[in-house]
Amino acid sequence: MNRVNVGFLGFGTVGQGAAKVLVRNALEINRRTGRDISVKSAVVRNTSRTIEPELKDVALTTDPQEIINDPDIHVVVEAMGGDEPARSLLLQAVANGKHVVTANKALIAVYGNELFEAAREHGVSVAFEAAVAGGIPVIKSIREGLAGNRIQWLAGIINGTSNFILTEMRDKQRDFNDVLEEAQALGYAEADPTFDVEGIDAAHKLTILASIAFGVPLKFDAVYTEGISHITQADTAYAQELGYRIKHLGYASHTDNGIELRVHPALIPERRLIANVDGVMNAVLVQADAVGPTMYYGAGAGAEPTGSSVVADIMDVVRLDSASVDNRVPSLAFQHDALSDTRIVSKAEFETSFYLRILVEDKPGVMADVSRILGDEKISIEAIIQKEPDADSARVPVILLTRKIVEGAMDRAIAGIEALDSVEGNVTRIRVESLA
Ligand code: NAP
Ligand code: HSE
């Protein structure tokens, strides 16, 4: 395969970003792979969409079959998103003997097991570096660079849109929806941005990271998922006052009880490197037995950063074309028949510290009631902030930091606190992760 033709299913932010990198760096890519890799055609819904000037020679079509069934196309890049028709088209491409590269984490997290099985059957590769953390080569690092390690846990800021929103809210006191609109205009957000702000996109990515870290099948449904839409500017300010930053975190760990998979906002001590990963940047911190902690940092979204990962995958699958399936790096890092169905830890068993914000009546005895309820569940308080009441309100926010406790106990304590007459509304709870 000296001349390699690539067909794109989807030619928006990621598709065109990758194609631009392929065109601009063609010489470097040839020097690295010994192959001429060119973009032959691309599928879009609307052929009058804006195309970057350097990609004017790419043939546009609205019919994916023109790519899937083109014998001259060796690699299919899927950058359309969603589950259907992407899933069916990729299964068809694989059955036609084409290698597949995808940026679609939703597809891999939910249908990856099926897709990898089909690829093995047909002797082709499915590569998905761009699906996690945009331009950061974190899949390759964990799957290959850390292959000799037993991975204990990993934690990542893996949704660029959420990180961008939280950073702008903290630094510029900007409004949530206003920043989200900007993230959409910059091409960071998913087609449905609730995937970003409700944690679903990060859960897709965490599913993939956990599989390649621990050698378990992809289990998207098992991820506990919480987004950032309930985080207020007041919480970001109180966190700062306590020496923390609020980040949206994906966390996976291999414990004695099984595998813990969770995605949620978290207070992280501001002295940690990962707490200082701002804007659209992502970072994944991996704790492994031989190497210790390593951290991977870079742009988590955007056209060319994501394109960089897509192009690296194209080069990889092209290089490995002549290798037998058994001599390729397994899709999920472990041999497919060596994946283990390890138990998933339930939410009630998670053990973390907590930040609690409680709106209470400004009168004697309220704090004693709150402390008694926490004490009954053996929850120790580590820090407390009580603010002055607003001029027009008899309520005051009380902010507590607790020591580590299992989530089941915290659920019971919060139910008890919310039932007090002197407490207004729901208690805001954010987990605290030391990531030490
Ligand atoms: P996008 O800008 O909306 O581009 C999607 C492209 O797919 C467009 O060209 C669209 O056609 C085409 N398309 C969508 N549905 C189609 C269908 N049913 N038939 C034919 N064409 C179809 O999206 P994107 O941001 O590039 O994201 C693409 C994928 O990459 C998603 O899976 C996303 O999660 C993933 N991803 C995105 C980023 C990022 O920074 N944006 C980073 C990493 C991964 P039209 O041009 O006619 O609209
Ligand atoms: N919407 C995703 C994000 C794109 O904001 O991280 C990159 O996967």
Side-chain angles (χ1 to χ4, degrees):
M1 223 208 273
N2 277 330
R3 173 147 205 101
V4 177
N5 288 320
V6 181
F8 280 76
L9 301 176
F11 217 42
T13 305
V14 174
Q16 292 195 51
K20 276 170 68 179
V21 175
L22 274 174
V23 169
R24 188 174 68 240
N25 295 340
L27 193 58
E28 288 298 278
I29 290 167
N30 177 292
R31 287 175 65 212
R32 287 185 166 116
T33 58
R35 276 99 167 166
D36 286 326
I37 303 181
S38 43
V39 184
K40 187 173 179 200
S41 46
V43 175
V44 289
R45 280 171 299 206
N46 172 7
T47 51
S48 60
R49 78 152 7 259
T50 312
I51 299 292
E52 299 282 348
E54 59 270 54
L55 303 176
K56 288 290 184 219
D57 292 341
V58 178
L60 291 187
T61 171
T62 54
D63 181 6
Q65 298 303 325
E66 285 185 22
I67 287 179
I68 304 293
N69 294 319
D70 182 342
D72 246 12
I73 285 183
H74 310 101
V75 180
V76 170
V77 172
E78 187 269 309
M80 56 172 42
D83 46 11
E84 289 295 348
R87 171 184 158 272
S88 304
L89 292 172
L90 291 193
L91 286 170
Q92 223 187 317
V94 160
N96 286 354
K98 299 184 193 308
H99 299 294
V100 161
V101 172
T102 179
N104 190 339
K105 47 273 165 139
L107 185 72
I108 294 294
V110 180
Y111 299 105
N113 298 323
E114 175 191 23
L115 199 53
F116 301 144
E117 178 66 41
R120 230 180 1 264
E121 210 175 291
H122 293 281
V124 294
S125 299
V126 174
F128 50 91
E129 181 65 70
V132 180
I136 310 173
V138 66
I139 301 279
K140 202 173 185 73
S141 301
I142 296 176
R143 196 163 54 183
E144 299 175 45
L146 300 184
N149 287 257
R150 195 166 50 78
I151 294 175
Q152 292 146 330
W153 56 263
L154 59 85
I157 294 173
I158 46 180
N159 183 266
T161 303
S162 296
N163 203 37
F164 182 65
I165 293 173
L166 290 175
T167 306
E168 293 286 304
M169 278 172 67
R170 185 197 68 214
D171 289 352
K172 301 181 189 155
Q173 288 77 50
R174 285 181 64 192
D175 173 66
F176 185 102
N177 290 316
D178 173 39
V179 191
L180 174 58
E181 270 176 33
E182 189 181 345
Q184 288 178 287
L186 290 166
Y188 302 157
E190 295 302 301
D192 176 355
T194 57
F195 274 48
D196 295 292
V197 298
E198 297 305 344
I200 301 158
D201 176 74
H204 287 141
K205 293 165 177 166
L206 189 78
T207 303
I208 299 171
L209 287 174
S211 284
I212 62 166
F214 307 132
V216 293
L218 296 153
K219 284 189 178 181
F220 169 66
D221 289 342
V223 182
Y224 169 75
T225 304
E226 200 182 295
I228 60 163
S229 56
H230 62 292
I231 302 292
T232 63
Q233 272 187 14
D235 292 318
T236 58
Y238 294 139
Q240 210 155 353
E241 213 171 303
L242 290 158
Y244 292 83
R245 292 201 167 167
I246 300 180
K247 293 289 172 189
H248 189 255
L249 207 65
Y251 181 86
S253 121
H254 203 315
T255 71
D256 292 342
N257 286 340
I259 288 177
E260 204 169 303
L261 296 170
R262 48 190 168 90
V263 158
H264 52 74
L267 270 75
I268 303 174
E270 66 189 358
R271 63 183 180 281
R272 296 263 178 270
L273 208 50
I274 197 166
N276 294 282
V277 170
D278 285 336
V280 74
M281 304 309 265
N282 280 192
V284 180
L285 175 60
V286 183
Q287 175 68 37
D289 68 338
V291 69
T294 54
M295 194 166 104
Y296 309 88
Y297 168 84
E304 290 206 16
T306 312
S308 160
S309 290
V310 169
V311 171
D313 270 353
I314 296 171
M315 292 164 73
D316 250 6
V317 300
V318 163
R319 281 192 186 111
L320 289 170
D321 180 60
S322 57
S324 68
V325 172
D326 289 342
N327 287 316
R328 294 183 194 152
V329 180
S331 304
L332 291 178
F334 293 72
Q335 296 295 323
H336 73 280
D337 51 4
L339 296 177
S340 65
D341 214 3
T342 313
R343 172 180 187 270
I344 303 295
V345 174
S346 71
K347 174 179 176 282
E349 298 167 278
F350 297 164
E351 198 177 340
T352 63
S353 305
F354 285 89
Y355 159 103
L356 304 178
R357 178 165 53 81
I358 313 169
L359 197 56
V360 300
E361 255 179 72
D362 187 21
K363 65 174 193 190
V366 177
M367 271 315 295
D369 288 342
V370 170
S371 304
R372 178 184 45 76
I373 292 171
L374 292 172
D376 287 350
E377 293 293 345
K378 313 255 178 307
I379 300 171
S380 309
I381 299 172
E382 187 159 298
I384 183 162
I385 305 178
Q386 182 169 350
K387 294 288 172 187
E388 292 295 311
D390 291 341
D392 54 352
S393 165
R395 313 264 166 191
V396 285
V398 172
I399 292 89
L400 299 174
L401 276 191
T402 74
R403 297 243 162 85
K404 271 194 173 184
I405 185 75
V406 290
E407 189 120 356
M410 183 52 84
D411 287 343
R412 289 190 295 274
I414 287 179
I417 293 170
E418 287 176 347
L420 292 172
D421 287 340
S422 49
V423 168
E424 188 176 299
N426 292 332
V427 173
T428 297
R429 138 204 358 211
I430 309 176
R431 294 168 191 83
V432 180
E433 289 295 345
S434 72
L435 302 181

